Amino acid sequence: MTTSTALLLADLTGVAVFAASGASAAVAKRLDLFGVVFVGFVAALGGGIFRDLAIDEAPPLAFGDWRYAATAAVTAAAVFWLHPEFARLRTTVLVLDAAGLALFTVTGTVKALDAQVPAVGACVIGMLTAIGGGLGRDLLTAEIPVVLRREIYAVAALAGSILVVLLNALGHANAGWLTAAAVFVFLLRLVSLRRRWSAPVPTARPPRTGMRGRRE
Amino acid sequence: MTTSTALLLADLTGVAVFAASGASAAVAKRLDLFGVVFVGFVAALGGGIFRDLAIDEAPPLAFGDWRYAATAAVTAAAVFWLHPEFARLRTTVLVLDAAGLALFTVTGTVKALDAQVPAVGACVIGMLTAIGGGLGRDLLTAEIPVVLRREIYAVAALAGSILVVLLNALGHANAGWLTAAAVFVFLLRLVSLRRRWSAPVPTARPPRTGMRGRRE
Amino acid sequence: MTTSTALLLADLTGVAVFAASGASAAVAKRLDLFGVVFVGFVAALGGGIFRDLAIDEAPPLAFGDWRYAATAAVTAAAVFWLHPEFARLRTTVLVLDAAGLALFTVTGTVKALDAQVPAVGACVIGMLTAIGGGLGRDLLTAEIPVVLRREIYAVAALAGSILVVLLNALGHANAGWLTAAAVFVFLLRLVSLRRRWSAPVPTARPPRTGMRGRRE
């Protein structure tokens, strides 16, 4: 009971944060009110819808529980009307977004494990739950998804989902340890933002030659 | 029986109309015959496939009933060969597209309600059934989805799906009232096209300042 | 037993080949290591995930059997580090990609038929299994999907899936004939590459007028 209420609150907080990030991206593209709400909806709920399709929960929670859709829509509409103020809160948004990433990683991985998905698959589903909404947001606004290009973002989610799977295997998948896993993802994301850590990019020239570099 | 035959005819008419709209967009991008048929297929059936995945109808109707795929493919191929004539029918296409929007809104919402999806979720699924194919069409042709940018389109679908859910709650989800709901969506779409109604777009400048506007 | 082992090997070979093609595309876009692995994962497993959602196999094989995700991730990471060498193997890649197309067409169609999907739907699902990963790869890297624009690619998959459905209807869906169907797709793809066959593109001018051509 307490666990499921806590999961619900964690989930809805993540929904609100991601809806705000999606709505901001849509405002920047000058979409209309509907477009802003729609992109907010996709950013907030797309990852969870994918997760529920994969674990065969029908209908997906985003359609089965009205609080999800309502949270996403209200948050996105608020950003639409308040966006100049919102834009000044850029740091706050990044922190909230890191919190959403952490929450969705943990709830997504736990739900996949509960649905009997094996360990590796649960890690991937947990990560996709966390980053899926952002992917959808970038596809809708015709950008190469930002999670594929920069920074430790999806990698933080993946590390967190692996941690949850390990905790589960060790029999420690309780509220305390899961919260610790969420805090780990949150801090990993914030520290890597702060320190500008990023994943390696491809080398521009062939590694084993001393010849003049070529650009393709 | 009569109801399900009527639903089938409504559905297949919508499929043909949306296949034509998808094929037109693909012809404009100079895709080949296969590409035109494929984009037509996605535009016509993408929304319904998403709906069926969400309500766990397997396989989705688009794969389970050959008449859907056949209608989409034949219509799209016809547009491929006839597109110069088709281009002259622009007004006709807009009217047919409004009809498709209306039909898919009603059939999508009804199917979601039949699958025990709660009210808010059924509204969203009904709307996504109607606009999902157009979203897929625009993603495949690398455009920011037009439904996110202009006009009362998705909003008409959403209004229609809310109307269907209300009719259902009041016990009036019969053929007559559902047809009336479809006509409502159809007219709302046509009137807003005619009058150039559109959803509000974000304000370009901060609302509470008298300073010189800045462009970001 | 033997059949399912053969199917597994065929599937994993296709996964590796498509992971390599996705990773190459991501390297060309200068995505980071995570992005390269992710696009490789989508290219390798996206088609199969869609197939499993459509036939209601939960969780999709890509999440249910760790060998799929591992094969995709390791192959994509290898391309990331070895890409200059890989780029010189362009012909090899095209041949391997044709092999992947052939394998996924056959395994996708067979799985759809096993899940009781009717003939037309099984053809479409088989084709989508084969081309779905490439579609996902191109959407993620913000390209109009290449299968929609050029060459006999999806058409080879569609011809192969129709062949498998016919073999099944005739009671010949055994390992020997299915292998022959895969070889047929493979050769059709290679021959059309070699001969530069392609599907027809839209005519640039209206067919039934002798007037000066207009460009839209």
Side-chain angles (χ1 to χ4, degrees), chain A residues 175-202:
Chain A
W177 280 103
L178 291 178
T179 305
V183 170
F184 164 74
V185 174
F186 179 68
L187 293 178
L188 176 54
R189 170 68 184 142
L190 285 189
V191 171
S192 57
L193 262 182
R194 182 104 200 163
R195 304 261 169 118
R196 300 180 186 283
W197 287 345
S198 63
V201 294

Side-chain angles (χ1 to χ4, degrees), chain B residues 27 29-35 38-39 41 49 53 56 58-60 63-64 66 69 80 83-85 88 139-142, chain C residues 50 53-54 56 117-118 120-121 124-125 127-128 135 139 144-145 147-150 154-155 199-203 206-208:
Chain B
V27 164
K29 290 274 179 177
R30 312 222 16 93
L31 302 188
D32 66 17
L33 173 60
F34 175 79
F38 189 81
V39 176
F41 183 91
I49 290 172
L53 292 177
D56 212 19
F63 304 124
W66 65 272
F80 180 82
H83 67 97
E85 285 76 10
R88 281 181 220 121
L139 290 179
L140 286 175
T141 52
Chain C
F50 178 79
L53 292 178
D56 212 19
V117 177
V120 172
V124 179
I125 289 178
M127 182 194 71
L128 290 175
L135 279 176
L139 290 178
I144 291 186
V147 307
L148 302 184
R149 280 185 301 173
R150 287 200 297 245
V155 172
V201 295
T203 48
R208 271 195 292 271

Side-chain angles (χ1 to χ4, degrees), chain A residues 11 17 22 27 29-30 32 35 45 56 66-67 73 77 82 111-112 128 136 159 163 180 187 202 212 215:
Chain A
D11 244 17
V17 170
V27 164
K29 291 273 178 176
R30 313 223 16 91
D32 67 18
L45 301 172
D56 212 19
W66 66 271
R67 293 171 293 194
L82 304 176
K111 284 181 191 179
L128 290 175
L163 188 55
L187 293 178
R212 238 176 20 217
R215 302 194 60 84

Side-chain angles (χ1 to χ4, degrees), chain A:
Chain A
M1 200 54 134
T2 309
T3 308
S4 79
T5 307
L7 261 183
L8 177 68
L9 281 179
D11 244 17
L12 290 183
T13 308
V15 165
V17 170
F18 279 135
S21 89
S24 298
V27 164
K29 291 273 178 176
R30 313 223 16 91
L31 302 189
D32 67 18
L33 172 58
F34 175 79
V36 170
V37 171
F38 189 82
V39 176
F41 183 91
V42 169
L45 301 172
I49 290 172
F50 178 78
R51 176 201 63 210
D52 289 345
L53 292 178
I55 65 176
D56 212 19
E57 172 159 331
L61 209 49
F63 304 123
D65 182 337
W66 66 271
R67 293 171 293 194
Y68 284 75
T71 302
V74 168
T75 308
V79 169
F80 179 82
W81 279 298
L82 304 176
H83 68 96
E85 286 76 9
F86 192 76
R88 282 183 219 117
L89 302 171
R90 192 169 169 280
T91 307
T92 311
V93 172
L94 283 174
V95 173
L96 287 173
D97 185 74
L101 187 78
L103 295 167
F104 277 10
T105 297
V106 173
T107 60
T109 311
V110 167
K111 284 181 191 179
L113 289 170
D114 284 350
Q116 314 299 332
V117 177
V120 172
C123 288
V124 179
I125 288 177
M127 182 194 70
L128 290 175
T129 305
I131 71 170
L135 279 175
R137 176 196 65 208
D138 293 343
L139 290 178
L140 286 176
T141 51
E143 299 283 342
I144 291 186
V146 79
V147 308
L148 302 183
R149 279 185 301 174
R150 288 201 295 246
E151 307 168 354
I152 302 295
Y153 188 89
V155 172
L158 186 58
S161 65
I162 292 171
L163 188 55
V164 170
V165 167
L166 290 176
L167 288 171
N168 184 66
L170 299 170
H172 292 320
N174 55 46
W177 280 103
L178 291 178
T179 305
V183 170
F184 164 74
V185 174
F186 179 68
L187 293 178
L188 176 54
R189 170 68 184 142
L190 285 189
V191 171
S192 57
L193 262 182
R194 182 104 200 163
R195 304 261 169 118
R196 300 180 186 283
W197 287 345
S198 63
V201 294
T203 48
R205 58 173 72 190
R208 273 195 290 272
T209 143
M211 313 273 290
R212 238 176 20 217
R214 305 160 267 150
R215 302 194 60 84
E216 74 262 55

Side-chain angles (χ1 to χ4, degrees), chain C residues 148-167:
Chain C
L148 302 184
R149 280 185 301 173
R150 287 200 297 245
E151 305 168 356
I152 302 296
Y153 188 88
V155 172
L158 185 58
S161 66
I162 292 172
L163 188 56
V164 170
V165 166
L166 289 177
L167 288 171

